[in-house]
Amino acid sequence: MAKNLAKRGNINDRMEIVLNKFKSRMTSYPPGMCPLVMYKSILQMSMNQSCGKCIPCRDGLVEAERMLQDILTGDAKEDTIERLEKLCIMISETADCAVGVVAANTVLDSLREFPDEYESHLKRRGCAESVTQTVPCISLCPAHVDVPGYVSLINEKDYEGAIKIIRDKNPFPTACAMVCEHPCEKRCRRSIVDQPINIRGLKKYAVDQVSADKIETPKRNVSTGKIIGVVGGGPSGLTAAYFLTLMGHKVVVYDEHEKLGGMLRYGIPEYRLPKERLDEDINAILNSGDIEVVLNTKVGKDITVEELKEKYDAVYLGLGAQIGNRMPIENVNCSNVIPAADFLLKIANGEEMDLTGKDVVLIGGGNVSMDAARTAIRLKAKTVNVFTRKRDDYTALESEIESAKEEGVRFRTLLSFLHLEEDKEDDDKICAVWLQPQIVGEFDSMGFVTTEHSSAYPYRFKCDLLILGVGQRCDVEDFEKAGIPVERGKILADTTCSVMFKESHNEDESIENSQGIFAGGDCVTGPSTAINAIAAGQVAAYNIDEYLGYHHKVECDVKAPFAMPNKCIPTGRAEIEERNPFERRRDFEHVEIPMTDEEAQRESSRCLRCDHYGCGSMEGGRCIC
């Protein structure tokens, strides 16, 4: 026995292994779990960390946990919540170390964040109606795609069936297989065992086996005689068009560009999403029913909003947010300063831009910024430096940041913008960017770190091209003039995508009335992801159908295989590999290497089928406290 323990290392090494496994348990709480149960588990963990020296921590946390348990079981009294708050304030102010202070503050945070949940347990002896456990991958996918269903079909090598299940909610299986941020993986319960399933990788494997436009779309409903106008041929507009035409309506799509696709075509570089692969999804959508496409037409100029309202039974505005923002600073309109979205649009339109030997500076840390930085590398830039003020400003996918680093992009953080230095030889250009070093401070109420100026001297960075990755906006000016309600550059629409008109001049009296006008995607939410735009298009389609007096359903003729129990044997996650960075940085060829058959089979077999086991088997999804 002693020899075996020696082989396994000392107690601290073995505890480290256990703690690493425990970390994954914290990320796999299913969506819809009772918040108080989660806070109770955090409190219990803090109790276990207590050294027992000071009374507030040693005894106070135990008493707080007992009160929380009474609230959960419905045994609490009217003053229990008030006593819990006073107790935690006392612990926070008198505990000797961070264990007691942080634990007490965590409970106080729960009282502020979830007062309705405390009240529900106190008065109804149960969770609020909105608290229901759900299958993580399905509920966290904005389009609510049946992820376990298509993963299990991939495991059975029924790739056509897998794509049909994806397309039941999302008509862009190929594009999303390439560029989706895969929020479905965030709470994957496979994390309890090892790591989340590579859901995006499996989707990509399926569309690599069978082209989406070769797979038959659902049978179209009989024609209703209704015609819907869709403004915007991006993911949101085309999604709405797809579902509306399957319901039996005729759809006319307007787009200002030469080709459909929106930001999928003009905002995502070729190396991430080859446009012939995007066309597979678009072809399938256009072949699904009665969809007419009007290109090179800008609504508001070539055709008015009033004409659309008169011509169609309903109108959907899926405009997207394709205009790059500029910072309100001097010299920002110089010829060698360009927003990241505009830079990517130029490249997508085939405009030649040779950056050989040039120093490129990029301000911003989102996915669009990473696309612009990696594109600049492929245009043979001498250096590409990405600057952000805070570490929190790097909102791009970690995989995108790592890929950019591999390709030679340099990242600098804790630098705030000061000013642009004008080129003395050409007043239409800048020659340098001045940045002020920062130091980190306290965290704000949202949990983001604050910064302040450092005493260090400002940096001057030579700059031949400045790319501004500081967000995008929607072109809503003509729509606002036509009476469409707009606030801070975004169209006002509710959760059903109905545009919210005001029927009174009284500013305090706002009445929802779509008047047949619906809107969704980036023009409502601001710049977001492709899957969020797709989800908005789906929601809009069903609500437009209801507005027109129908209640159509789009049937999927594929069923997920029977769920078999998983033995939960820890298994490595199959990752999507990329081409050698020294090779891929030289061209715009697709960077990802397809999964092998063996990898896809093993990865798909890791699925726990939560749609039939665990949280998916609960009646009504109710949380059991």
Side-chain angles (χ1 to χ4, degrees):
M1 179 71 175
K3 289 182 179 179
N4 289 336
L5 289 176
K7 290 180 181 178
R8 291 159 61 187
N10 62 41
I11 187 169
N12 289 329
D13 292 337
R14 284 179 278 138
M15 283 184 64
E16 189 67 27
I17 294 172
V18 174
L19 286 173
N20 284 332
K21 292 180 179 179
F22 179 71
K23 287 177 185 177
S24 65
R25 298 297 300 267
M26 299 300 293
T27 61
S28 54
Y29 277 107
M33 180 179 179
C34 174
L36 304 194
V37 171
M38 182 181 70
Y39 277 105
K40 178 189 169 187
S41 67
I42 295 173
L43 183 57
Q44 289 172 330
M45 182 176 65
S46 299
M47 290 163 53
N48 293 334
Q49 292 175 326
S50 176
C51 68
K53 185 182 72 172
C54 73
I55 293 175
C57 179
R58 183 189 67 204
D59 298 339
L61 295 183
V62 174
E63 179 63 16
E65 192 269 342
R66 186 191 64 76
M67 289 184 185
L68 198 51
Q69 178 63 25
D70 286 345
I71 293 170
L72 283 167
T73 57
D75 297 325
K77 298 178 180 178
E78 288 291 330
D79 64 341
T80 299
I81 294 177
E82 183 181 351
R83 289 191 295 112
L84 176 63
E85 183 177 20
K86 289 180 178 179
L87 173 64
C88 288
I89 291 173
M90 182 274 292
I91 296 171
S92 174
E93 293 176 346
T94 59
D96 282 353
C97 75
V99 172
V101 173
V102 174
N105 285 336
T106 300
V107 176
L108 292 172
D109 286 343
S110 74
L111 290 166
R112 286 189 291 268
E113 293 291 332
F114 300 99
D116 53 340
E117 190 62 23
Y118 275 100
E119 184 179 2
S120 179
H121 277 85
L122 195 65
K123 295 183 178 179
R124 299 174 57 248
R125 298 193 173 191
C127 295
E129 288 294 329
S130 60
V131 178
T132 56
Q133 282 197 27
T134 56
V135 180
C137 56
I138 296 177
S139 61
L140 292 181
C141 171
H144 302 304
V145 175
D146 180 5
V147 175
Y150 77 74
V151 168
S152 59
L153 284 169
I154 291 172
N155 188 245
E156 294 198 349
K157 299 188 177 183
D158 182 0
Y159 310 119
E160 182 175 325
I163 292 171
K164 284 185 175 181
I165 282 190
I166 296 168
R167 211 156 51 188
D168 182 48
K169 302 289 185 181
N170 173 9
F172 284 92
T174 311
C176 283
M178 307 282 182
V179 302
C180 185
E181 292 192 330
H182 45 84
C184 51
E185 297 180 20
K186 287 184 178 178
R187 299 276 193 92
C188 177
R189 300 190 84 206
R190 182 73 199 194
S191 299
I192 298 172
V193 182
D194 37 57
Q195 291 177 290
I197 292 170
N198 193 335
I199 296 171
R200 184 181 76 83
L202 288 172
K203 185 188 298 179
K204 183 176 182 298
Y205 180 79
V207 297
D208 283 345
Q209 307 311 303
V210 185
S211 176
D213 54 358
K214 299 296 189 292
I215 299 173
E216 186 179 4
T217 55
K219 184 179 179 181
R220 184 173 184 261
N221 189 60
V222 295
S223 177
T224 63
K226 302 290 185 180
I227 309 177
I228 295 94
V230 172
V231 182
S236 187
L238 289 180
T239 297
Y242 174 76
F243 286 109
L244 285 167
T245 196
L246 290 179
M247 293 170 186
H249 310 302
K250 177 181 172 64
V251 182
V252 180
V253 179
Y254 292 86
D255 196 273
E256 63 180 308
H257 295 293
E258 292 184 358
K259 293 183 178 181
L260 295 173
M263 286 297 285
L264 290 175
R265 184 178 299 279
Y266 296 104
I268 297 178
E270 188 80 11
Y271 66 84
R272 285 185 63 206
L273 177 58
K275 298 310 173 278
E276 67 269 14
R277 300 303 307 274
L278 171 62
D279 287 335
E280 293 172 11
D281 287 339
I282 294 176
N283 291 338
I285 292 170
L286 297 181
N287 294 333
S288 62
D290 192 357
I291 301 177
E292 179 185 338
V293 176
V294 182
L295 297 171
N296 298 308
T297 301
K298 186 173 177 59
V299 174
K301 289 185 171 59
D302 299 315
I303 182 172
T304 67
V305 176
E306 283 301 322
E307 287 177 303
L308 292 180
K309 291 169 70 174
E310 293 174 5
K311 193 172 184 180
Y312 299 110
D313 298 293
V315 176
Y316 178 62
L317 307 177
L319 311 178
Q322 299 185 26
I323 303 176
N325 288 336
R326 289 181 181 267
M327 301 160 67
I329 54 176
E330 190 177 1
N331 297 322
V332 76
N333 291 317
C334 286
S335 61
N336 59 341
V337 179
I338 185 171
D342 298 1
F343 173 73
L344 294 171
L345 176 61
K346 284 178 177 288
I347 305 304
N349 279 327
E351 292 189 32
E352 294 186 7
M353 189 179 294
D354 185 5
L355 299 180
T356 302
K358 294 187 176 181
D359 295 302
V360 177
V361 171
L362 197 148
I363 296 176
N367 282 321
V368 175
S369 297
M370 293 308 106
D371 287 341
R374 296 176 70 185
T375 296
I377 286 287
R378 285 161 173 77
L379 295 173
K380 301 180 175 57
K382 178 184 174 183
T383 63
V384 177
N385 284 282
V386 177
F387 299 103
T388 63
R389 184 177 183 182
K390 301 181 295 182
R391 297 183 184 96
D392 298 329
D393 293 335
Y394 287 115
T395 57
L397 287 174
E398 188 63 34
S399 59
E400 286 296 303
I401 295 174
E402 287 302 314
S403 293
K405 287 179 179 178
E406 291 173 356
E407 293 170 4
V409 177
R410 302 173 186 177
F411 289 82
R412 297 292 299 270
T413 310
L414 292 177
L415 291 167
S416 68
F417 176 82
L418 283 180
H419 66 271
L420 303 178
E421 181 181 332
E422 185 181 297
D423 192 330
K424 294 180 180 179
E425 297 179 0
D426 186 348
D427 60 6
D428 190 37
K429 288 187 177 181
I430 64 165
C431 62
V433 176
W434 285 81
L435 299 162
Q436 174 64 47
Q438 302 283 293
I439 58 174
V440 295
E442 296 180 356
F443 287 89
D444 63 19
S445 60
M446 298 296 291
F448 297 118
V449 70
T450 59
T451 64
E452 57 188 59
H453 281 356
S454 165
S455 59
Y457 193 75
Y459 290 155
R460 179 186 184 273
F461 286 89
K462 184 177 180 298
C463 177
D464 296 305
L465 175 66
L466 174 61
I467 302 176
L468 302 174
V470 290
Q472 299 97 248
R473 69 184 190 278
C474 180
D475 186 4
V476 295
E477 183 179 351
D478 291 324
F479 294 89
E480 186 173 17
K481 290 178 180 177
I484 302 296
V486 172
E487 186 175 279
R488 295 182 179 179
K490 295 181 287 188
I491 295 174
L492 291 176
D494 61 19
T495 55
T496 69
C497 295
S498 296
V499 171
M500 300 169 66
F501 289 91
K502 291 181 180 179
E503 290 192 341
S504 169
H505 292 294
N506 184 355
E507 292 293 328
D508 296 327
E509 186 180 349
S510 179
I511 303 175
E512 295 180 11
N513 182 351
S514 75
Q515 298 181 16
I517 308 293
F518 295 76
D522 291 359
C523 67
V524 172
T525 64
S528 188
T529 60
I531 189 61
N532 281 324
I534 289 165
Q538 178 200 132
V539 169
Y542 281 95
N543 283 291
I544 290 172
D545 187 63
E546 294 279 346
Y547 168 80
L548 296 174
Y550 301 94
H551 190 67
H552 289 118
K553 292 183 179 180
V554 176
E555 300 294 337
C556 180
D557 61 358
V558 178
K559 301 291 184 183
F562 182 77
M564 299 295 290
N566 192 296
K567 294 181 180 179
C568 298
I569 299 171
T571 307
R573 168 183 159 112
E575 300 289 358
I576 298 180
E577 300 296 328
E578 292 190 343
R579 295 162 52 212
N580 187 305
F582 296 103
E583 294 177 358
R584 69 182 190 239
R585 60 175 286 167
R586 298 173 185 167
D587 57 48
F588 282 86
E589 296 297 317
H590 192 219
V591 297
E592 292 185 336
I593 299 172
M595 274 188 181
T596 65
D597 181 65
E598 293 84 358
E599 286 176 317
Q601 289 302 301
R602 180 165 292 177
E603 189 64 17
S604 58
S605 68
R606 295 174 64 232
C607 181
L608 300 177
R609 290 302 301 271
C610 298
D611 55 331
H612 284 272
Y613 299 105
C615 51
S617 65
M618 295 173 62
E619 183 177 352
R622 294 295 295 162
C623 178
I624 302 174
C625 298

